[in-house]
Amino acid sequence: MSDTNAPPENRRPLTLRDVSEASGVSEMTVSRVLRDRGDVSEATRAKVRAAARALGYVPNRIAGALASQRVNLVSVVIPSLSNMVFPEVLSGISDRLVGTPLQPVMGVTDYSDEREEGVLYEMLSWRPSGVIVAGMEHSPAARAMLVNSGVPIVEIMDVDGDPMDSVVGISHRRAGRETAEAIIASGYRRIGFLGTKMPYDHRARKRMEGFEEALAESGLALADREFYSGGSALLKGREMTEAIMNRTPDIDFLYYSNDMIGAGGLLWCLEKGFDVPNRIGLAGFNGVELLQGLPCRLATMDAGRREIGEKAAEIIATGLSGVRIELTPKLLRGDTIRPAR
């Protein structure tokens, strides 16, 4: 048995032989038990697993994957951890994979094509059992790696595009259109748009495009826009709202690309004494739990984030391909859009 008190540089990796010696069975039997293969009695399985657990032995999945060319990992590639949207997606993925041999591993791209390429290169080198990746816009290099990986690919969050394999999400253009239609029906006419990570957040861009299309069909156009390339935060929402209202004070509605900056904007409007929703209305996007702690409920749209994660993981777990699942976004009017006229 190895010396667990030895310094790391002198400690050799545990092997099947260590487990074999500790359990008193052959290396072949140990291998079968740890890979859950072969005809091995329950008593022997219990003995081997107990020995492996006591030793702290972790199988080398890459070595075992040389024949199958797969390991039981699901690569999950998302653009941000600071955005409150993605932890809920990850929870849906993780919960669905419980009880399967698959384990999710995560990479973060920070909305950068170059970083996405690097994350995919490293993850695909491990030959995962599948890839779940946010968005449908990828660089040619990233797309080539995914298409040629030979594993199931699920693009999530968005369905407005040409999927490589399977796709689960909502139409962000539809989400933008439906929000605009609700705003127009409530009598608002001087409307501003505020967005972060533009134009790198393709889903926010598509919502703005759908939003503007619906405005144009009613003979309207955006009165003003305020963009910021940084992340989504309450303080940034306050600053952006102050800037656009100082520049275009007759605006009567503000549409935010996400709830975080929308919440900051709402707090600024309330502090300044604006009558919400009569003098000015506001809406965000994503339906995050943060909204429940605000002085009034910000209008938003629920994109079914957890369900997206669950359904994407289901596709990978069942080995399906070519699946398209479009969920329906749900407008939550809250307290910041007045009733339709």
Side-chain angles (χ1 to χ4, degrees), residues 45-83:
R45 288 181 185 277
K47 186 189 299 184
V48 169
R49 287 170 180 156
R53 188 179 301 112
L55 289 171
Y57 177 80
V58 177
N60 184 337
R61 295 304 188 189
I62 285 296
L66 292 178
S68 66
Q69 295 298 306
R70 297 281 180 89
V71 294
N72 288 332
L73 301 177
V74 177
S75 299
V76 182
V77 183
I78 60 174
S80 172
L81 276 177
S82 61
N83 189 326

Side-chain angles (χ1 to χ4, degrees), residues 222-240:
L222 286 174
D224 201 351
R225 311 175 193 208
E226 181 73 16
F227 295 137
Y228 173 67
S229 62
S232 304
L234 287 172
L235 177 59
K236 183 49 59 178
R238 297 170 70 99
E239 293 172 351
M240 295 169 72

Side-chain angles (χ1 to χ4, degrees), residues 194-196 225-247 254 256 260-269 271-272:
L194 302 89
T196 60
R225 311 175 193 208
E226 181 73 16
F227 295 137
Y228 173 67
S229 62
S232 304
L234 287 172
L235 177 59
K236 183 49 59 178
R238 297 170 70 99
E239 293 172 351
M240 295 169 72
T241 302
E242 182 175 18
I244 198 171
M245 292 304 296
N246 285 341
R247 190 168 60 239
L254 296 173
Y256 298 85
M260 288 297 289
I261 57 173
L266 172 59
L267 292 173
W268 183 87
C269 288
E271 285 180 7
K272 297 300 179 181

Side-chain angles (χ1 to χ4, degrees), residues 135-250:
M136 302 187 73
E137 285 75 24
H138 313 282
S139 71
R143 192 175 184 87
M145 282 189 280
L146 288 165
V147 168
N148 296 315
S149 67
V151 304
I153 307 295
V154 184
E155 292 166 286
I156 60 170
M157 312 305 291
D158 190 8
V159 297
D160 296 319
D162 181 23
M164 286 176 278
D165 184 0
S166 296
V167 61
V168 181
I170 67 165
S171 167
H172 286 264
R173 287 195 172 88
R174 174 182 174 181
R177 289 184 63 88
E178 291 186 359
T179 302
E181 289 165 359
I183 292 169
I184 294 166
S186 294
Y188 299 103
R189 293 296 180 267
R190 295 285 292 166
I191 301 166
F193 181 90
L194 302 89
T196 60
K197 286 292 183 184
M198 305 288 280
Y200 305 108
D201 186 341
H202 297 286
R203 292 172 292 286
R205 171 182 55 79
K206 291 174 184 177
R207 287 196 299 278
M208 186 181 74
E209 290 170 354
F211 190 83
E212 288 189 287
E213 288 170 4
L215 292 182
E217 290 171 6
S218 295
L220 300 174
L222 286 174
D224 201 351
R225 311 175 193 208
E226 181 73 16
F227 295 137
Y228 173 67
S229 62
S232 304
L234 287 172
L235 177 59
K236 183 49 59 178
R238 297 170 70 99
E239 293 172 351
M240 295 169 72
T241 302
E242 182 175 18
I244 198 171
M245 292 304 296
N246 285 341
R247 190 168 60 239
T248 315
D250 64 338

Side-chain angles (χ1 to χ4, degrees), residues 317-328:
T318 54
L320 298 175
S321 63
V323 178
R324 176 187 170 88
I325 300 176
E326 179 175 350
L327 304 181
T328 301

Side-chain angles (χ1 to χ4, degrees), residues 83-95:
N83 189 326
M84 297 178 68
V85 171
F86 294 104
E88 194 164 351
V89 176
L90 294 172
S91 293
I93 293 171
S94 179
D95 288 351

